[in-house]
C-alpha cells in the first residue's frame, strides 16, 4: 500500500509544481536606466530593451513577471535579505556573489567617456588612462566600482543627469559611463551641441544580467527558466527584434 500511495503522490506533486509555476507572479524592481530600463518617476509603464527581453524570455517559459520602481540602495538591501525576487540590468561583482544569482547576459554596455567637445580624448583608450583627468561617475553603479577597482580617483554624482551637468557646468573633465544611457540622457538634457561621447576602444563591453536574490523562494528555478527563455527568444529571432526596435528609434 505504501508503494502504491507513493506512486500516486509523485505525479501529483509534479502536477502541483506545474500549477505553482503557472500561477506565481514574480516582481523585479528597477531604477531608471534608459534605454535598457525606462522607469521615470511617474505612472507611465516601465519598459526598455532589457525589460522587454526579460519579459519575453519568461513568457516563453510560462512564467509571469512584473516590474516596479525602487531606489537602488533599497533594491540591494532587499536582495541581501531575500525579500524581493531581484533586479534587471545589473553587473556582476565579486561582492554580489554572496547573495545574487546571475542569468546569462541579457545585454552588453559599451564603456565610454563623456566630455566637452573641446577636450582631446584621443589618448583615452582604457580605464587607467582616466587617471590623468578629473572624473565623475554615478554613485554605486557598476562603472563607479570599476574606477575603484582600477585605482582611479573620481568624484561621484547621485544620478546620471547630475553627472552630466558636472561635466557640462563644473570643472570635471569626463564622466565614465555606459554608451546608450549616456546617449539617451545627453539628448534628453539637450546637450548634444556641447557634449561628446568617446568609446574606450581597449575595454570590453560590460555584460548586464537579470540578478536574482539567492534567498528568494524558487531563485534557482527562476534562473533556470530565464536562461532557457533567453536561449529560446534568441533562437526564434524575438531577441534581435526587441533590440533593433529600441536602437533604431534612438537618435544617435
Amino acid at each position: 500500500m505504501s508503494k502504491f500511495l507513493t506512486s500516486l503522490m509523485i505525479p501529483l506533486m509534479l502536477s502541483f509544481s506545474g500549477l505553482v509555476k503557472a500561477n506565481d507572479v514574480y516582481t523585479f524592481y528597477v531604477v531608471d536606466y534608459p534605454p535598457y530600463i525606462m522607469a521615470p518617476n511617474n505612472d507611465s509603464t516601465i519598459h526598455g530593451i532589457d525589460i522587454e527581453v526579460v519579459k519575453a524570455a519568461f513568457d516563453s517559459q510560462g512564467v509571469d513577471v512584473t516590474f516596479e520602481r525602487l531606489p537602488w540602495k533599497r533594491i540591494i538591501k532587499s536582495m541581501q535579505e531575500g525579500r524581493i525576487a531581484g533586479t534587471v540590468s545589473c553587473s556582476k561583482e565579486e561582492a554580489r556573489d554572496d547573495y545574487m544569482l546571475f542569468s546569462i547576459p541579457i545585454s552588453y554596455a559599451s564603456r565610454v567617456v563623456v566630455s566637452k567637445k573641446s577636450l582631446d580624448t584621443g589618448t583615452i583608450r582604457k580605464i587607467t588612462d582616466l587617471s590623468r583627468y578629473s572624473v565623475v561617475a554615478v554613485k554605486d553603479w557598476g562603472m563607479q566600482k570599476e574606477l575603484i577597482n582600477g585605482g582611479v580617483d573620481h568624484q561621484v554624482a547621485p544620478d546620471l543627469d547630475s553627472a552630466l551637468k558636472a561635466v557640462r557646468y563644473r570643472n570635471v573633465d569626463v564622466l565614465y559611463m555606459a554608451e546608450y544611457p549616456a546617449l539617451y540622457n545627453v539628448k534628453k538634457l539637450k546637450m548634444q551641441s556641447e557634449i561628446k561621447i568617446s568609446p574606450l576602444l581597449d575595454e570590453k563591453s560590460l555584460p548586464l544580467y537579470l540578478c536574482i536574490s539567492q534567498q528568494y523562494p524558487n531563485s534557482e528555478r527562476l534562473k533556470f527558466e530565464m536562461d532557457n527563455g533567453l536561449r529560446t527568444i534568441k533562437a526564434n529571432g524575438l531577441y534581435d527584434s526587441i533590440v533593433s526596435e529600441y536602437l533604431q528609434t534612438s537618435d544617435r
Side-chain angles (χ1 to χ4, degrees):
M1 177 66 74
S2 176
K3 290 183 179 179
F4 176 73
L5 289 175
T6 300
S7 67
L8 289 177
M9 288 298 294
I10 290 175
L12 181 61
M13 290 170 66
L14 291 173
S15 175
F16 180 75
S17 175
L19 289 173
V20 170
K21 174 180 174 181
N23 293 329
D24 284 353
V25 178
Y26 295 92
T27 300
F28 291 89
Y29 291 83
V30 299
V31 295
D32 193 42
Y33 190 53
Y36 300 102
I37 303 169
M38 317 276 263
N41 294 319
N42 55 40
D43 293 331
S44 62
T45 302
I46 296 172
H47 60 108
I49 297 174
D50 288 357
I51 294 294
E52 302 302 330
V53 165
V54 169
K55 188 175 188 311
F58 276 124
D59 280 349
S60 75
Q61 304 301 299
V63 179
D64 291 331
V65 294
T66 61
F67 306 93
E68 294 186 13
R69 302 166 188 82
L70 201 65
W72 184 247
K73 286 187 176 180
R74 287 181 60 189
I75 290 175
I76 294 299
K77 182 175 177 57
S78 298
M79 290 185 68
Q80 290 171 335
E81 297 172 352
R83 292 191 286 111
I84 63 173
T87 188
V88 180
S89 301
C90 75
S91 56
K92 186 179 291 187
E93 299 174 10
E94 186 176 350
R96 294 175 179 172
D97 288 340
D98 292 337
Y99 61 94
M100 287 186 185
L101 299 175
F102 301 92
S103 70
I104 57 179
I106 56 178
S107 60
Y108 292 84
S110 297
R111 296 164 168 87
V112 299
V113 291
V114 183
S115 68
K116 294 185 180 71
K117 287 189 174 180
S118 58
L119 183 69
D120 181 5
T121 56
T123 60
I124 305 176
R125 299 182 62 91
K126 54 185 181 297
I127 293 175
T128 53
D129 292 337
L130 295 172
S131 298
R132 303 191 299 270
Y133 300 85
S134 60
V135 182
V136 66
V138 180
K139 182 176 174 58
D140 294 330
W141 283 16
M143 297 297 184
Q144 193 224 348
K145 301 296 177 61
E146 292 184 8
L147 293 175
I148 293 172
N149 294 337
V152 178
D153 289 337
H154 61 279
Q155 306 174 38
V156 295
D159 52 54
L160 183 50
D161 284 1
S162 299
L164 286 167
K165 290 174 182 177
V167 171
R168 174 66 181 87
Y169 300 111
R170 291 168 44 200
N171 191 28
V172 175
D173 292 328
V174 297
L175 161 65
Y176 181 53
M177 190 55 208
E179 180 183 15
Y180 290 130
L183 286 165
Y184 182 91
N185 281 58
V186 165
K187 179 183 176 183
K188 181 185 75 172
L189 296 174
K190 299 180 179 179
M191 292 182 176
Q192 300 100 312
S193 61
E194 302 95 2
I195 295 295
K196 68 178 179 178
I197 297 173
S198 308
L200 272 68
L201 298 177
D202 291 351
E203 296 290 347
K204 295 180 180 179
S205 296
L206 176 70
L208 299 176
Y209 305 85
L210 177 74
C211 296
I212 302 167
S213 172
Q214 290 184 17
Q215 297 185 51
Y216 197 78
N218 298 322
S219 59
E220 293 282 356
R221 196 201 81 201
L222 281 173
K223 171 177 162 47
F224 177 82
E225 300 286 9
M226 176 61 193
D227 289 349
N228 275 352
L230 192 52
R231 294 186 187 99
T232 297
I233 64 171
K234 284 188 174 183
N236 65 22
L238 181 55
Y239 178 92
D240 288 339
S241 176
I242 292 169
V243 173
S244 296
E245 178 183 353
Y246 275 90
L247 297 189
Q248 286 174 0
T249 57
S250 175
D251 181 8
R252 299 186 56 182

